[in-house]
Structures are given as structure tokens and as C-alpha cells.
Amino acid sequence: QVQLVESGGGSVQAGGSLRLSCVASGYIFGDYSMGWFRQAPGKEREGVAVISSYGSTFYADSVKGRFTISRDKPKNILYLQMNNLSPDDTAMYYCAEADGRLLFGIRPAHEFNYWGQGTQVTVSS
């Protein structure tokens, strides 16, 4: 069983930055992928960024060049650095893990096994 706990959300003005963190605990072994998703009110959950256990990274077109996914493997922490934020980035952000899978690209939510509780990001204009 894997537990994921996100933090780092908050309220910022357009053009600002935030860094989200996701602490993973439990037993993770072998191949896996981790990702960040977001969900705005009235919208479907969408993939934002994915990183595989080999370090390959993938981004949604809407965040390319502004967001960076990274991880601290020894500490089991996943990060999402978000720069040049816009009001369109306002959403609940979720960390997710796909156990035993190497995912290439932004994949749908159902391909991820474990989820955190989410952290709210609000960007004002």
C-alpha cells in the first residue's frame, strides 16, 4: 500500500510561482510512474505532468515550459515547480502513482493506482 500526501498549494497572483510537494510512503519497488493531475470545478481531472522511475518526464501542452516535475528518490518526494501561473491553472492538484508501470506521456487518471488528497492552487488575475 502506498500513501501520498501533497502540500504546497496556496493563493498567488498571476505570474507567480508555487512548488507542490508529494511525500510517498509505503512500499514502492520496481518500475513505476508518478504524476500530477489537476481538477477545476465542473471539469474533468486532467494530467499535468508524469515522471517515470527512470526519470523520463512528460508534460501537458498547457504547462510546457512553465511547470517542472522532479523527484527526490532517497526521500520519496515528488515535486511540481509551477512558474508563470495564470488563472487557468486554478484547480485542486493531486499526486498519483502508477505501481509497476512505466508510463510514457500524459496518461488518463484510471491508469494510476494511488492518489493523494489534493492541494488547492488558486491564481488571481
Side-chain angles (χ1 to χ4, degrees):
Q1 191 76 9
V2 175
Q3 294 82 41
L4 303 173
V5 179
E6 304 97 333
S7 62
S11 296
V12 296
Q13 291 190 329
S17 298
L18 284 172
R19 188 177 79 158
L20 306 183
S21 299
C22 172
V23 178
S25 59
Y27 192 46
I28 301 175
F29 69 99
D31 296 332
Y32 64 90
S33 298
M34 296 193 74
W36 288 98
F37 286 75
R38 65 186 181 186
Q39 188 167 18
K43 294 187 177 181
E44 292 188 357
R45 191 169 295 191
E46 63 173 352
V48 173
V50 169
I51 186 167
S52 76
S53 53
Y54 290 99
S56 300
T57 58
F58 307 91
Y59 298 93
D61 288 343
S62 59
V63 306
K64 279 181 183 176
R66 300 188 299 122
F67 291 12
T68 303
I69 188 171
S70 63
R71 63 196 172 153
D72 183 330
K73 288 187 75 173
K75 295 183 179 179
N76 278 341
I77 302 176
L78 182 71
Y79 298 104
L80 184 68
Q81 177 66 44
M82 306 186 295
N83 298 328
N84 194 21
L85 285 161
S86 77
D88 289 341
D89 297 315
T90 295
M92 184 73 78
Y93 282 72
Y94 298 90
C95 169
E97 194 254 352
D99 200 21
R101 298 183 183 185
L102 286 177
L103 301 179
F104 297 95
I106 300 300
R107 307 302 301 169
H110 68 78
E111 295 191 17
F112 290 79
N113 309 86
Y114 301 101
W115 292 84
Q117 83 290 348
T119 186
Q120 178 68 37
V121 172
T122 302
V123 185
S124 57
S125 57

mmCIF file with all atom_site columns, all heavy atoms in Angstrom, residues 24 28 30 32 51-55 70-79:
data_model
loop_
_atom_site.group_PDB
_atom_site.id
_atom_site.type_symbol
_atom_site.label_atom_id
_atom_site.label_alt_id
_atom_site.label_comp_id
_atom_site.label_asym_id
_atom_site.label_entity_id
_atom_site.label_seq_id
_atom_site.pdbx_PDB_ins_code
_atom_site.Cartn_x
_atom_site.Cartn_y
_atom_site.Cartn_z
_atom_site.occupancy
_atom_site.B_iso_or_equiv
_atom_site.pdbx_formal_charge
_atom_site.auth_seq_id
_atom_site.auth_comp_id
_atom_site.auth_asym_id
_atom_site.auth_atom_id
_atom_site.pdbx_PDB_model_num
ATOM 1   N N   . ALA A 1 24 ? 5.665  10.359 -0.522  1.00 0.00 ? 24 ALA A N   1
ATOM 2   C CA  . ALA A 1 24 ? 5.169  8.998  -0.723  1.00 0.00 ? 24 ALA A CA  1
ATOM 3   C C   . ALA A 1 24 ? 5.705  8.088  0.372   1.00 0.00 ? 24 ALA A C   1
ATOM 4   O O   . ALA A 1 24 ? 6.896  8.121  0.693   1.00 0.00 ? 24 ALA A O   1
ATOM 5   C CB  . ALA A 1 24 ? 5.601  8.476  -2.091  1.00 0.00 ? 24 ALA A CB  1
ATOM 6   N N   . ILE A 1 28 ? 7.322  0.902  -2.402  1.00 0.00 ? 28 ILE A N   1
ATOM 7   C CA  . ILE A 1 28 ? 7.363  1.123  -3.844  1.00 0.00 ? 28 ILE A CA  1
ATOM 8   C C   . ILE A 1 28 ? 8.596  0.425  -4.379  1.00 0.00 ? 28 ILE A C   1
ATOM 9   O O   . ILE A 1 28 ? 9.709  0.709  -3.937  1.00 0.00 ? 28 ILE A O   1
ATOM 10  C CB  . ILE A 1 28 ? 7.434  2.628  -4.180  1.00 0.00 ? 28 ILE A CB  1
ATOM 11  C CG1 . ILE A 1 28 ? 6.226  3.366  -3.594  1.00 0.00 ? 28 ILE A CG1 1
ATOM 12  C CG2 . ILE A 1 28 ? 7.487  2.834  -5.685  1.00 0.00 ? 28 ILE A CG2 1
ATOM 13  C CD1 . ILE A 1 28 ? 6.294  4.867  -3.769  1.00 0.00 ? 28 ILE A CD1 1
ATOM 14  N N   . GLY A 1 30 ? 10.465 -1.716 -8.010  1.00 0.00 ? 30 GLY A N   1
ATOM 15  C CA  . GLY A 1 30 ? 10.370 -1.996 -9.427  1.00 0.00 ? 30 GLY A CA  1
ATOM 16  C C   . GLY A 1 30 ? 10.031 -0.750 -10.227 1.00 0.00 ? 30 GLY A C   1
ATOM 17  O O   . GLY A 1 30 ? 10.284 0.378  -9.811  1.00 0.00 ? 30 GLY A O   1
ATOM 18  N N   . TYR A 1 32 ? 7.775  2.112  -11.905 1.00 0.00 ? 32 TYR A N   1
ATOM 19  C CA  . TYR A 1 32 ? 6.581  2.857  -11.523 1.00 0.00 ? 32 TYR A CA  1
ATOM 20  C C   . TYR A 1 32 ? 6.618  4.204  -12.222 1.00 0.00 ? 32 TYR A C   1
ATOM 21  O O   . TYR A 1 32 ? 7.648  4.614  -12.759 1.00 0.00 ? 32 TYR A O   1
ATOM 22  C CB  . TYR A 1 32 ? 6.494  3.055  -10.007 1.00 0.00 ? 32 TYR A CB  1
ATOM 23  C CG  . TYR A 1 32 ? 7.613  3.885  -9.430  1.00 0.00 ? 32 TYR A CG  1
ATOM 24  C CD1 . TYR A 1 32 ? 7.488  5.277  -9.330  1.00 0.00 ? 32 TYR A CD1 1
ATOM 25  C CD2 . TYR A 1 32 ? 8.805  3.311  -9.023  1.00 0.00 ? 32 TYR A CD2 1
ATOM 26  C CE1 . TYR A 1 32 ? 8.525  6.045  -8.832  1.00 0.00 ? 32 TYR A CE1 1
ATOM 27  C CE2 . TYR A 1 32 ? 9.834  4.071  -8.526  1.00 0.00 ? 32 TYR A CE2 1
ATOM 28  C CZ  . TYR A 1 32 ? 9.694  5.433  -8.433  1.00 0.00 ? 32 TYR A CZ  1
ATOM 29  O OH  . TYR A 1 32 ? 10.718 6.185  -7.941  1.00 0.00 ? 32 TYR A OH  1
ATOM 30  N N   . ILE A 1 51 ? 6.368  11.522 -14.429 1.00 0.00 ? 51 ILE A N   1
ATOM 31  C CA  . ILE A 1 51 ? 7.770  11.140 -14.381 1.00 0.00 ? 51 ILE A CA  1
ATOM 32  C C   . ILE A 1 51 ? 7.838  9.637  -14.127 1.00 0.00 ? 51 ILE A C   1
ATOM 33  O O   . ILE A 1 51 ? 7.116  9.112  -13.284 1.00 0.00 ? 51 ILE A O   1
ATOM 34  C CB  . ILE A 1 51 ? 8.538  11.941 -13.310 1.00 0.00 ? 51 ILE A CB  1
ATOM 35  C CG1 . ILE A 1 51 ? 10.036 11.644 -13.380 1.00 0.00 ? 51 ILE A CG1 1
ATOM 36  C CG2 . ILE A 1 51 ? 7.989  11.684 -11.914 1.00 0.00 ? 51 ILE A CG2 1
ATOM 37  C CD1 . ILE A 1 51 ? 10.884 12.625 -12.562 1.00 0.00 ? 51 ILE A CD1 1
ATOM 38  N N   . SER A 1 52 ? 8.696  8.947  -14.891 1.00 0.00 ? 52 SER A N   1
ATOM 39  C CA  . SER A 1 52 ? 8.830  7.508  -14.703 1.00 0.00 ? 52 SER A CA  1
ATOM 40  C C   . SER A 1 52 ? 9.948  7.216  -13.706 1.00 0.00 ? 52 SER A C   1
ATOM 41  O O   . SER A 1 52 ? 10.727 8.102  -13.351 1.00 0.00 ? 52 SER A O   1
ATOM 42  C CB  . SER A 1 52 ? 9.132  6.826  -16.041 1.00 0.00 ? 52 SER A CB  1
ATOM 43  O OG  . SER A 1 52 ? 10.494 7.058  -16.398 1.00 0.00 ? 52 SER A OG  1
ATOM 44  N N   . SER A 1 53 ? 10.031 5.964  -13.298 1.00 0.00 ? 53 SER A N   1
ATOM 45  C CA  . SER A 1 53 ? 11.082 5.582  -12.360 1.00 0.00 ? 53 SER A CA  1
ATOM 46  C C   . SER A 1 53 ? 12.471 5.718  -12.989 1.00 0.00 ? 53 SER A C   1
ATOM 47  O O   . SER A 1 53 ? 13.468 5.760  -12.276 1.00 0.00 ? 53 SER A O   1
ATOM 48  C CB  . SER A 1 53 ? 10.864 4.159  -11.862 1.00 0.00 ? 53 SER A CB  1
ATOM 49  O OG  . SER A 1 53 ? 10.705 3.256  -12.946 1.00 0.00 ? 53 SER A OG  1
ATOM 50  N N   . TYR A 1 54 ? 12.533 5.812  -14.316 1.00 0.00 ? 54 TYR A N   1
ATOM 51  C CA  . TYR A 1 54 ? 13.812 6.024  -14.987 1.00 0.00 ? 54 TYR A CA  1
ATOM 52  C C   . TYR A 1 54 ? 14.124 7.505  -15.172 1.00 0.00 ? 54 TYR A C   1
ATOM 53  O O   . TYR A 1 54 ? 15.180 7.854  -15.684 1.00 0.00 ? 54 TYR A O   1
ATOM 54  C CB  . TYR A 1 54 ? 13.820 5.330  -16.346 1.00 0.00 ? 54 TYR A CB  1
ATOM 55  C CG  . TYR A 1 54 ? 13.856 3.838  -16.232 1.00 0.00 ? 54 TYR A CG  1
ATOM 56  C CD1 . TYR A 1 54 ? 12.701 3.078  -16.360 1.00 0.00 ? 54 TYR A CD1 1
ATOM 57  C CD2 . TYR A 1 54 ? 15.044 3.175  -15.958 1.00 0.00 ? 54 TYR A CD2 1
ATOM 58  C CE1 . TYR A 1 54 ? 12.724 1.701  -16.238 1.00 0.00 ? 54 TYR A CE1 1
ATOM 59  C CE2 . TYR A 1 54 ? 15.085 1.809  -15.834 1.00 0.00 ? 54 TYR A CE2 1
ATOM 60  C CZ  . TYR A 1 54 ? 13.921 1.071  -15.974 1.00 0.00 ? 54 TYR A CZ  1
ATOM 61  O OH  . TYR A 1 54 ? 13.956 -0.294 -15.840 1.00 0.00 ? 54 TYR A OH  1
ATOM 62  N N   . GLY A 1 55 ? 13.179 8.363  -14.786 1.00 0.00 ? 55 GLY A N   1
ATOM 63  C CA  . GLY A 1 55 ? 13.420 9.796  -14.852 1.00 0.00 ? 55 GLY A CA  1
ATOM 64  C C   . GLY A 1 55 ? 12.878 10.490 -16.083 1.00 0.00 ? 55 GLY A C   1
ATOM 65  O O   . GLY A 1 55 ? 13.044 11.701 -16.224 1.00 0.00 ? 55 GLY A O   1
ATOM 66  N N   . SER A 1 70 ? 9.746  16.842 -10.777 1.00 0.00 ? 70 SER A N   1
ATOM 67  C CA  . SER A 1 70 ? 11.020 16.266 -10.362 1.00 0.00 ? 70 SER A CA  1
ATOM 68  C C   . SER A 1 70 ? 10.782 15.416 -9.120  1.00 0.00 ? 70 SER A C   1
ATOM 69  O O   . SER A 1 70 ? 9.682  15.412 -8.559  1.00 0.00 ? 70 SER A O   1
ATOM 70  C CB  . SER A 1 70 ? 12.054 17.353 -10.086 1.00 0.00 ? 70 SER A CB  1
ATOM 71  O OG  . SER A 1 70 ? 11.639 18.179 -9.016  1.00 0.00 ? 70 SER A OG  1
ATOM 72  N N   . ARG A 1 71 ? 11.815 14.719 -8.691  1.00 0.00 ? 71 ARG A N   1
ATOM 73  C CA  . ARG A 1 71 ? 11.644 13.886 -7.510  1.00 0.00 ? 71 ARG A CA  1
ATOM 74  C C   . ARG A 1 71 ? 12.962 13.768 -6.763  1.00 0.00 ? 71 ARG A C   1
ATOM 75  O O   . ARG A 1 71 ? 14.040 13.909 -7.342  1.00 0.00 ? 71 ARG A O   1
ATOM 76  C CB  . ARG A 1 71 ? 11.174 12.491 -7.921  1.00 0.00 ? 71 ARG A CB  1
ATOM 77  C CG  . ARG A 1 71 ? 12.203 11.802 -8.765  1.00 0.00 ? 71 ARG A CG  1
ATOM 78  C CD  . ARG A 1 71 ? 11.682 10.629 -9.489  1.00 0.00 ? 71 ARG A CD  1
ATOM 79  N NE  . ARG A 1 71 ? 12.693 10.156 -10.412 1.00 0.00 ? 71 ARG A NE  1
ATOM 80  C CZ  . ARG A 1 71 ? 12.800 8.936  -10.832 1.00 0.00 ? 71 ARG A CZ  1
ATOM 81  N NH1 . ARG A 1 71 ? 11.947 8.021  -10.425 1.00 0.00 ? 71 ARG A NH1 1
ATOM 82  N NH2 . ARG A 1 71 ? 13.741 8.590  -11.670 1.00 0.00 ? 71 ARG A NH2 1
ATOM 83  N N   . ASP A 1 72 ? 12.844 13.539 -5.479  1.00 0.00 ? 72 ASP A N   1
ATOM 84  C CA  . ASP A 1 72 ? 13.971 13.226 -4.614  1.00 0.00 ? 72 ASP A CA  1
ATOM 85  C C   . ASP A 1 72 ? 13.797 11.749 -4.266  1.00 0.00 ? 72 ASP A C   1
ATOM 86  O O   . ASP A 1 72 ? 13.007 11.402 -3.384  1.00 0.00 ? 72 ASP A O   1
ATOM 87  C CB  . ASP A 1 72 ? 13.931 14.110 -3.375  1.00 0.00 ? 72 ASP A CB  1
ATOM 88  C CG  . ASP A 1 72 ? 15.132 13.889 -2.460  1.00 0.00 ? 72 ASP A CG  1
ATOM 89  O OD1 . ASP A 1 72 ? 15.667 12.755 -2.424  1.00 0.00 ? 72 ASP A OD1 1
ATOM 90  O OD2 . ASP A 1 72 ? 15.518 14.849 -1.773  1.00 0.00 ? 72 ASP A OD2 1
ATOM 91  N N   . LYS A 1 73 ? 14.516 10.889 -4.988  1.00 0.00 ? 73 LYS A N   1
ATOM 92  C CA  . LYS A 1 73 ? 14.291 9.450  -4.827  1.00 0.00 ? 73 LYS A CA  1
ATOM 93  C C   . LYS A 1 73 ? 14.604 8.959  -3.416  1.00 0.00 ? 73 LYS A C   1
ATOM 94  O O   . LYS A 1 73 ? 13.826 8.198  -2.845  1.00 0.00 ? 73 LYS A O   1
ATOM 95  C CB  . LYS A 1 73 ? 15.086 8.659  -5.866  1.00 0.00 ? 73 LYS A CB  1
ATOM 96  C CG  . LYS A 1 73 ? 14.541 8.787  -7.268  1.00 0.00 ? 73 LYS A CG  1
ATOM 97  C CD  . LYS A 1 73 ? 15.247 7.866  -8.249  1.00 0.00 ? 73 LYS A CD  1
ATOM 98  C CE  . LYS A 1 73 ? 14.814 6.437  -8.063  1.00 0.00 ? 73 LYS A CE  1
ATOM 99  N NZ  . LYS A 1 73 ? 15.383 5.565  -9.128  1.00 0.00 ? 73 LYS A NZ  1
ATOM 100 N N   . PRO A 1 74 ? 15.741 9.338  -2.816  1.00 0.00 ? 74 PRO A N   1
ATOM 101 C CA  . PRO A 1 74 ? 16.021 8.825  -1.465  1.00 0.00 ? 74 PRO A CA  1
ATOM 102 C C   . PRO A 1 74 ? 14.955 9.209  -0.448  1.00 0.00 ? 74 PRO A C   1
ATOM 103 O O   . PRO A 1 74 ? 14.678 8.448  0.485   1.00 0.00 ? 74 PRO A O   1
ATOM 104 C CB  . PRO A 1 74 ? 17.367 9.462  -1.129  1.00 0.00 ? 74 PRO A CB  1
ATOM 105 C CG  . PRO A 1 74 ? 17.993 9.753  -2.438  1.00 0.00 ? 74 PRO A CG  1
ATOM 106 C CD  . PRO A 1 74 ? 16.852 10.154 -3.321  1.00 0.00 ? 74 PRO A CD  1
ATOM 107 N N   . LYS A 1 75 ? 14.360 10.389 -0.623  1.00 0.00 ? 75 LYS A N   1
ATOM 108 C CA  . LYS A 1 75 ? 13.362 10.856 0.337   1.00 0.00 ? 75 LYS A CA  1
ATOM 109 C C   . LYS A 1 75 ? 11.933 10.510 -0.103  1.00 0.00 ? 75 LYS A C   1
ATOM 110 O O   . LYS A 1 75 ? 10.986 10.773 0.643   1.00 0.00 ? 75 LYS A O   1
ATOM 111 C CB  . LYS A 1 75 ? 13.479 12.371 0.533   1.00 0.00 ? 75 LYS A CB  1
ATOM 112 C CG  . LYS A 1 75 ? 14.779 12.813 1.167   1.00 0.00 ? 75 LYS A CG  1
ATOM 113 C CD  . LYS A 1 75 ? 14.790 14.318 1.391   1.00 0.00 ? 75 LYS A CD  1
ATOM 114 C CE  . LYS A 1 75 ? 16.092 14.753 2.057   1.00 0.00 ? 75 LYS A CE  1
ATOM 115 N NZ  . LYS A 1 75 ? 16.133 16.228 2.261   1.00 0.00 ? 75 LYS A NZ  1
ATOM 116 N N   . ASN A 1 76 ? 11.781 9.936  -1.296  1.00 0.00 ? 76 ASN A N   1
ATOM 117 C CA  . ASN A 1 76 ? 10.447 9.601  -1.824  1.00 0.00 ? 76 ASN A CA  1
ATOM 118 C C   . ASN A 1 76 ? 9.537  10.825 -1.876  1.00 0.00 ? 76 ASN A C   1
ATOM 119 O O   . ASN A 1 76 ? 8.383  10.785 -1.419  1.00 0.00 ? 76 ASN A O   1
ATOM 120 C CB  . ASN A 1 76 ? 9.795  8.504  -0.986  1.00 0.00 ? 76 ASN A CB  1
ATOM 121 C CG  . ASN A 1 76 ? 10.277 7.121  -1.385  1.00 0.00 ? 76 ASN A CG  1
ATOM 122 O OD1 . ASN A 1 76 ? 10.807 6.931  -2.469  1.00 0.00 ? 76 ASN A OD1 1
ATOM 123 N ND2 . ASN A 1 76 ? 10.107 6.168  -0.491  1.00 0.00 ? 76 ASN A ND2 1
ATOM 124 N N   . ILE A 1 77 ? 10.048 11.922 -2.401  1.00 0.00 ? 77 ILE A N   1
ATOM 125 C CA  . ILE A 1 77 ? 9.251  13.132 -2.538  1.00 0.00 ? 77 ILE A CA  1
ATOM 126 C C   . ILE A 1 77 ? 9.158  13.510 -4.010  1.00 0.00 ? 77 ILE A C   1
ATOM 127 O O   . ILE A 1 77 ? 10.158 13.533 -4.713  1.00 0.00 ? 77 ILE A O   1
ATOM 128 C CB  . ILE A 1 77 ? 9.847  14.309 -1.744  1.00 0.00 ? 77 ILE A CB  1
ATOM 129 C CG1 . ILE A 1 77 ? 9.968  13.953 -0.264  1.00 0.00 ? 77 ILE A CG1 1
ATOM 130 C CG2 . ILE A 1 77 ? 8.973  15.554 -1.910  1.00 0.00 ? 77 ILE A CG2 1
ATOM 131 C CD1 . ILE A 1 77 ? 10.642 15.041 0.565   1.00 0.00 ? 77 ILE A CD1 1
ATOM 132 N N   . LEU A 1 78 ? 7.960  13.787 -4.448  1.00 0.00 ? 78 LEU A N   1
ATOM 133 C CA  . LEU A 1 78 ? 7.692  14.257 -5.807  1.00 0.00 ? 78 LEU A CA  1
ATOM 134 C C   . LEU A 1 78 ? 7.392  15.745 -5.744  1.00 0.00 ? 78 LEU A C   1
ATOM 135 O O   . LEU A 1 78 ? 6.716  16.201 -4.816  1.00 0.00 ? 78 LEU A O   1
ATOM 136 C CB  . LEU A 1 78 ? 6.495  13.513 -6.391  1.00 0.00 ? 78 LEU A CB  1
ATOM 137 C CG  . LEU A 1 78 ? 6.094  13.841 -7.816  1.00 0.00 ? 78 LEU A CG  1
ATOM 138 C CD1 . LEU A 1 78 ? 7.120  13.290 -8.805  1.00 0.00 ? 78 LEU A CD1 1
ATOM 139 C CD2 . LEU A 1 78 ? 4.704  13.280 -8.120  1.00 0.00 ? 78 LEU A CD2 1
ATOM 140 N N   . TYR A 1 79 ? 7.912  16.497 -6.707  1.00 0.00 ? 79 TYR A N   1
ATOM 141 C CA  . TYR A 1 79 ? 7.707  17.936 -6.735  1.00 0.00 ? 79 TYR A CA  1
ATOM 142 C C   . TYR A 1 79 ? 7.045  18.366 -8.050  1.00 0.00 ? 79 TYR A C   1
ATOM 143 O O   . TYR A 1 79 ? 7.170  17.705 -9.073  1.00 0.00 ? 79 TYR A O   1
ATOM 144 C CB  . TYR A 1 79 ? 9.040  18.679 -6.611  1.00 0.00 ? 79 TYR A CB  1
ATOM 145 C CG  . TYR A 1 79 ? 9.782  18.429 -5.328  1.00 0.00 ? 79 TYR A CG  1
ATOM 146 C CD1 . TYR A 1 79 ? 10.894 17.585 -5.293  1.00 0.00 ? 79 TYR A CD1 1
ATOM 147 C CD2 . TYR A 1 79 ? 9.380  19.051 -4.144  1.00 0.00 ? 79 TYR A CD2 1
ATOM 148 C CE1 . TYR A 1 79 ? 11.584 17.358 -4.115  1.00 0.00 ? 79 TYR A CE1 1
ATOM 149 C CE2 . TYR A 1 79 ? 10.073 18.837 -2.965  1.00 0.00 ? 79 TYR A CE2 1
ATOM 150 C CZ  . TYR A 1 79 ? 11.163 17.987 -2.951  1.00 0.00 ? 79 TYR A CZ  1
ATOM 151 O OH  . TYR A 1 79 ? 11.835 17.776 -1.783  1.00 0.00 ? 79 TYR A OH  1
#
